[in-house]
Amino acid sequence: MKHDIKTLKAAQEIAGKFSDRNSKMPGSTFAISAKHCNVGGKLVNVKGSVCDRCYAIKLQKLRPSVDKGWTSNYLTSTKMISENPDKWAAACAFQIKRMAAKSGETNHRWFDSGDLASVAMLGAICKAAELTPQIDHWLPTREAKIVKDFKAAGGVIPSNLVIRISSTMIGDKPIAGHANTSTVHRKGETPVGHICPASQQDGNCGTCRACWSHDVDNVSYPLH
């Protein structure tokens, strides 16, 4: 079924608001409330975990407008995905393509705050990626079980979507059994794979696109 979405306002009412204002990375991003993370909601209380010092939670506490926007994105998305996931995906694709046309950047990051809420959400994201074949999508997640359950149910990950399963503890090795992963390492530890250069270039991706690449098995982020 084709969903004829003609305006940005309509797309935002259906899927929540996407952003192209993250100056640290290329292209568009989509954030939901970190207060609703499943695995992350437990890890935030575990000392030494990668969520121990969650920047998104801190930002939501400091800026009510951010909290309101990300919470609205979460509620709008989960409701629409439960009712009409294809319509949600179409509204996502509308915003992603619009921002790519404006910026010339062909990269999109899912969840610069928050994480996968369900198998259904992952399925809808895969549909959005299918609708935007010209865009490289990156989805970092700690919800390994959701990804596993999606695949077990016959779900297929589009070739333009890289899902990186994140290790849960600082200093941990990559989680086995996944093609693309990410880790966090402390100063003095020997990282595995590609070292994210952002900490050496004012927190910016610069020309690096390793997180979006299937060819990069693991990206290791320096603890900061």
Side-chain angles (χ1 to χ4, degrees):
M1 181 179 178
K2 184 178 179 180
H3 298 283
D4 192 16
I5 299 167
K6 297 181 178 180
T7 68
L8 177 60
K9 181 181 179 181
Q12 290 176 338
E13 289 175 349
I14 294 166
K17 294 182 179 181
F18 283 61
S19 175
D20 58 359
R21 292 180 293 178
N22 189 328
S23 61
K24 301 294 186 180
M25 64 181 63
S28 54
T29 60
F30 182 67
I32 61 176
S33 173
K35 296 177 182 178
H36 291 85
C37 289
N38 296 320
V39 172
K42 299 179 179 69
L43 291 176
V44 74
N45 297 311
V46 178
K47 189 171 181 60
S49 79
V50 294
C51 299
D52 184 17
R53 297 183 286 180
C54 178
Y55 79 93
I57 289 287
K58 291 178 181 177
L59 189 57
Q60 285 185 253
K61 290 179 178 178
L62 287 171
R63 298 178 60 183
S65 61
V66 171
D67 181 52
K68 181 179 179 181
W70 290 353
T71 299
S72 177
N73 277 358
Y74 171 81
L75 295 173
T76 299
S77 294
T78 52
K79 182 175 186 295
M80 181 55 68
I81 288 169
S82 70
E83 296 174 352
N84 194 331
D86 286 349
K87 187 174 183 179
W88 182 83
C92 293
F94 180 96
Q95 295 185 67
I96 293 169
K97 288 189 286 188
R98 186 177 188 273
M99 290 177 181
K102 178 182 175 182
S103 68
E105 296 283 357
T106 57
N107 298 87
H108 174 73
R109 175 181 173 172
W110 294 94
F111 308 127
D112 44 339
S113 168
D115 205 339
L116 288 169
S118 64
V119 170
M121 179 175 279
L122 178 53
I125 286 173
C126 287
K127 180 64 177 178
E130 290 171 359
L131 293 172
T132 53
Q134 72 276 40
I135 304 296
D136 292 323
H137 295 249
W138 162 39
L139 196 169
T141 182
R142 292 169 189 88
E143 301 292 341
K145 187 176 185 302
I146 287 178
V147 177
K148 180 180 178 181
D149 290 348
F150 174 76
K151 291 179 178 179
V156 177
I157 309 298
S159 61
N160 62 326
L161 171 61
V162 172
I163 298 178
R164 289 198 178 277
I165 304 297
S166 305
S167 292
T168 57
M169 301 298 291
I170 297 166
D172 272 3
K173 299 298 183 184
I175 296 177
H178 301 278
N180 300 106
T181 55
S182 66
T183 51
V184 177
H185 65 273
R186 300 178 181 88
K187 186 176 180 179
E189 293 179 336
T190 303
V192 176
H194 177 85
I195 302 173
C196 173
S199 62
Q200 302 299 315
Q201 46 198 37
D202 196 30
N204 290 286
C205 293
T207 59
C208 181
R209 300 293 182 269
C211 293
W212 288 268
S213 175
H214 284 288
D215 295 331
V216 179
D217 296 341
N218 188 71
V219 176
S220 190
Y221 304 104
L223 179 65
H224 57 83

